[in-house]
Amino acid sequence: MKKIIYTRSDGGISVVTPVINTLGESPGFTEQDALERALAKIPLAAINIQVIDPFVVPSDRTFRNAWKQVGATIEQDMPKARTIAQDRIREARTPRFAHWDALWSKAQEDNDAAAMAMIKANRQKLRDAPADARIVNAADETALKAAMQAVIGDLP
């Protein structure tokens, strides 16, 4: 069944899948009827309303909030996707900061200079992770997703 895409006033993309309610529909209700019903419910502020084939909608939703509509297609806004990747790295590092902070307290109590230096270096790696060159230089969604997973996997 066809889908409907449009750009919202906030710049985001909405994807609508019309449905046929087989229980409450009158006999002879078709996919075209469902499509027309869905189109009638699109907000007035919708921009560039397009009826598309379902394969136009990307199946990978990792960077869903970075999609942008270009005519009757959906493309990835790479600067927005990079921001999403950086935010996910920040989320992943939060519990690691707590771990290193606890070790820092112990190292300070013990006055262990070597441990404090190692902990300080690891905390700096956590701070630097969102700006990792693999994220910044990723050319497309696939490369960015792989880079994000690699950066998260490399967190100390």
Side-chain angles (χ1 to χ4, degrees):
M1 175 175 276
K2 299 276 189 178
K3 293 183 182 277
I4 303 165
I5 60 171
Y6 62 89
T7 301
R8 297 186 309 268
S9 59
D10 68 359
I13 300 297
S14 286
V15 179
V16 178
T17 303
V19 295
I20 297 176
N21 177 358
T22 56
L23 297 177
E25 305 299 354
S26 60
F29 192 84
T30 66
E31 287 185 13
Q32 183 62 34
D33 295 329
L35 183 63
E36 289 172 10
R37 179 177 56 196
L39 282 166
K41 293 182 180 181
I42 300 293
L44 294 176
I47 303 164
N48 193 20
I49 302 166
Q50 298 285 329
V51 176
I52 60 168
D53 289 318
F55 65 83
V56 172
V57 179
S59 58
D60 187 343
R61 299 174 57 87
T62 303
F63 302 110
R64 165 68 174 90
N65 288 337
W67 289 354
K68 64 181 178 180
Q69 183 180 2
V70 179
T73 63
I74 296 174
E75 295 181 3
Q76 199 66 248
D77 182 331
M78 286 304 294
K80 283 184 181 179
R82 283 187 189 92
T83 299
I84 291 168
Q86 291 168 328
D87 289 344
R88 290 192 180 149
I89 291 167
R90 288 181 185 100
E91 289 171 19
R93 73 182 183 176
T94 298
R96 291 172 167 100
F97 269 123
H99 167 77
W100 290 111
D101 289 347
L103 292 177
W104 178 260
S105 295
K106 176 71 173 135
Q108 279 186 317
E109 285 176 14
D110 296 343
N111 201 23
D112 186 343
M116 287 191 290
M118 183 267 304
I119 293 165
K120 186 175 180 181
N122 283 321
R123 288 171 57 181
Q124 187 60 49
K125 287 178 187 176
L126 290 173
R127 282 187 209 95
D128 294 341
D132 189 289
R134 294 172 286 186
I135 299 297
V136 174
N137 297 326
D140 59 26
E141 177 184 9
T142 303
L144 182 58
K145 185 176 178 181
M148 178 183 68
Q149 291 170 342
V151 170
I152 290 172
D154 291 345
L155 292 176

